[in-house]
Amino acid sequence: MPEFEPLKNDLLLRTAWGKTVQRPPIWVMRQAGRYLPEYHEAKGDHDFFECCRSPEIASTLTLQPIERFEGLIDAAIIFSDILVIPQAMGMTVEMVDKKGPHFPDPLKTPEDEQYKQIMAREVDVRKELDYVYKAITLTRQKLKGRVPLFGFCGAPWTLLCYMVEGGGSKLFIQSKTWVFKYAAESKALLQKIAELCVEYLAYQVEAGAQIVQVFDSWAAELSPASFQQLSLPYLRYIAANLPKKLDEMKLERVPMVVFAKGAWYALDDLCDSGYQVVGLDWLQDPAEAMKVAKGRVVLQGNADPGVLYGGKEAITSVVEQMVQGFGGGKKGWIANLGHGITPFVKPDDLKFFFQEIHRLTKS
């Protein structure tokens, strides 16, 4: 394993392991990204996936919020994308400006030659996604122990959606066709993705990631019954098998976070799914979530990202409600938004959000 400087701020890791702390740690999803002017400078003419594949650019982008909001946030998250796993499985994914991710040739049916190839292919995750591990190692070196570094992956259900829809969707017609019409083949694909997720996260930890998050961005598209069949078993598989894989590799276990956006109905199950931290979106009431969690896990979240458009008074009000709902933040809470930062947020408004959390949770 590479050598790194000792961690100076371990607040987030202590919180994730359930320890009592002096204040809640803070970070936000998509904190490295297009809302920052310096992001566009560093990105230049490179397309999105070129930035992910360049350890130098990816590490620079990862560090931008740490440098801009110095002393205000407690973690970095590697600049990458959940769709690198479908790419490693042999699918083409492009990032289309103002539209988002696009698969020119999505999976159509289990009779599709591409589905058969994907299911038969032995994916060498270490080789195919080597650029992510290099970016993680370089970022850890550049961080010099300032804050811990998150690795992450997409959850199997969410990745399946992208692979069959060909991009984001409002109706999820192809995803629902697959899971209801081709249930066995869908579950085989979900299991294959889950196994790759375990390997991918383990190699991220080997490269220097100190905590990992699994993003189930499309969980809200499932009914409670479908979630039990099509998402939860594969989330549990990752949580059960990643620690074993790390043990095999003689690596220290790291805290694991699950974020199933929109699956408010599954909070109780997610608290028993093997993760140390459960991320909440803004559709959940913090105090109610604390009652459901009963201290079994640490909760992460969950301000509505839209409040960042609303000015200082609105931000203060939302932070006050959040701090109160999560019980003040000395234990069991990582402060975050309820999803990633949305476009056109002013960096100074995000800075004020961070400052207010600090002000309102001071001992």
Side-chain angles (χ1 to χ4, degrees):
M1 241 185 113
E3 289 289 309
F4 304 113
E5 291 185 32
L7 190 56
K8 300 181 185 90
N9 173 359
D10 65 350
L11 180 68
L12 184 123
L13 300 183
R14 283 186 289 126
T15 303
W17 285 121
K19 304 277 195 295
T20 301
V21 290
Q22 65 276 30
R23 65 167 177 85
I26 309 164
W27 72 284
V28 292
M29 294 175 268
R30 293 205 198 116
Q31 64 187 24
R34 58 194 169 177
Y35 74 102
L36 292 172
E38 56 267 38
Y39 166 84
H40 298 280
E41 285 169 34
K43 183 174 179 283
D45 296 330
H46 300 279
D47 90 354
F48 177 84
F49 283 114
E50 279 176 351
C51 294
C52 294
R53 289 193 194 104
S54 159
E56 187 53 53
I57 298 174
S59 61
T60 297
L61 297 174
T62 301
L63 287 172
Q64 285 177 342
I66 304 306
E67 280 153 6
R68 179 182 274 263
F69 305 118
E70 194 179 352
L72 290 174
I73 51 178
D74 301 293
I77 181 163
I78 193 64
F79 184 84
S80 185
D81 194 84
I82 63 171
L83 298 178
V84 297
I85 285 186
Q87 287 176 331
M89 294 172 85
M91 294 189 79
T92 300
V93 190
E94 301 158 349
M95 196 61 77
V96 180
D97 204 32
K98 298 186 174 56
K99 183 184 167 201
H102 172 65
F103 289 65
D105 186 19
L107 299 177
K108 294 176 185 69
T109 73
E111 294 308 307
D112 187 350
E113 201 49 47
Q114 190 181 197
Y115 174 81
K116 293 173 184 166
Q117 286 170 356
I118 278 173
M119 294 308 294
R121 180 180 285 126
E122 286 286 324
V123 182
D124 185 344
V125 183
R126 193 189 276 284
K127 176 170 153 279
E128 294 292 339
L129 297 176
D130 181 60
Y131 59 89
V132 180
Y133 318 133
K134 284 193 165 83
I136 285 172
T137 301
L138 185 57
T139 303
R140 275 290 304 274
Q141 285 160 346
K142 289 183 182 180
L143 273 169
K144 299 187 187 303
R146 280 174 282 180
V147 292
L149 179 62
F150 265 90
F152 69 91
C153 71
W157 159 250
T158 289
L159 295 180
L160 178 142
C161 289
Y162 277 110
M163 289 163 78
V164 302
E165 296 290 345
S169 175
K170 284 202 167 82
L171 298 175
F172 291 86
I173 293 167
Q174 305 309 326
S175 309
K176 298 300 172 80
T177 302
W178 269 81
V179 296
F180 289 120
K181 198 173 189 177
Y182 314 123
E185 293 90 345
S186 294
K187 286 177 178 175
L189 179 55
L190 288 164
Q191 180 59 30
K192 178 154 187 135
I193 297 168
E195 290 166 12
L196 294 175
C197 287
V198 168
E199 282 191 62
Y200 179 44
L201 291 173
Y203 296 140
Q204 289 185 55
V205 172
E206 183 181 49
Q210 292 149 294
I211 180 169
V212 294
Q213 178 157 319
V214 180
F215 285 86
D216 210 352
S217 310
W218 297 125
E221 299 308 316
L222 292 168
S223 69
S226 292
F227 186 82
Q228 292 286 340
Q229 287 188 27
L230 300 168
S231 174
L232 191 60
Y234 306 100
L235 293 173
R236 283 190 165 139
Y237 179 89
I238 295 168
N241 287 279
L242 177 58
K244 291 180 195 167
K245 178 81 178 163
L246 293 175
D247 292 349
E248 273 172 36
M249 292 168 72
K250 307 227 172 345
L251 296 168
E252 263 184 60
R253 293 184 177 195
V254 300
M256 300 178 293
V257 186
V258 62
F259 177 58
K261 185 176 179 288
W264 52 269
Y265 52 79
L267 179 57
D268 190 41
D269 283 323
L270 288 167
C271 289
D272 279 335
S273 60
Y275 293 84
Q276 286 71 42
V277 182
V278 174
L280 305 178
D281 60 39
W282 68 96
L283 304 180
Q284 306 222 39
D285 176 78
E288 290 303 311
M290 291 292 270
K291 282 182 200 162
V292 173
K294 295 192 187 80
R296 287 175 289 171
V297 292
V298 171
L299 296 175
Q300 175 176 279
N302 74 331
D304 179 349
V307 77
L308 298 174
Y309 301 124
K312 290 187 170 179
E313 276 182 39
I315 292 170
T316 298
S317 173
V318 163
V319 172
E320 282 172 346
Q321 291 162 23
M322 190 167 65
V323 170
Q324 188 177 359
F326 285 113
K330 299 284 186 281
K331 190 175 186 185
W333 176 41
I334 295 169
N336 205 313
L337 297 170
H339 196 217
I341 296 165
T342 41
F344 313 117
V345 162
K346 293 186 178 73
D348 282 350
D349 290 329
L350 181 61
K351 183 178 184 178
F352 182 73
F353 173 75
F354 295 145
Q355 288 170 329
E356 286 297 86
I357 298 170
H358 279 270
R359 181 178 72 80
L360 291 161
T361 57
K362 271 202 178 114
S363 296

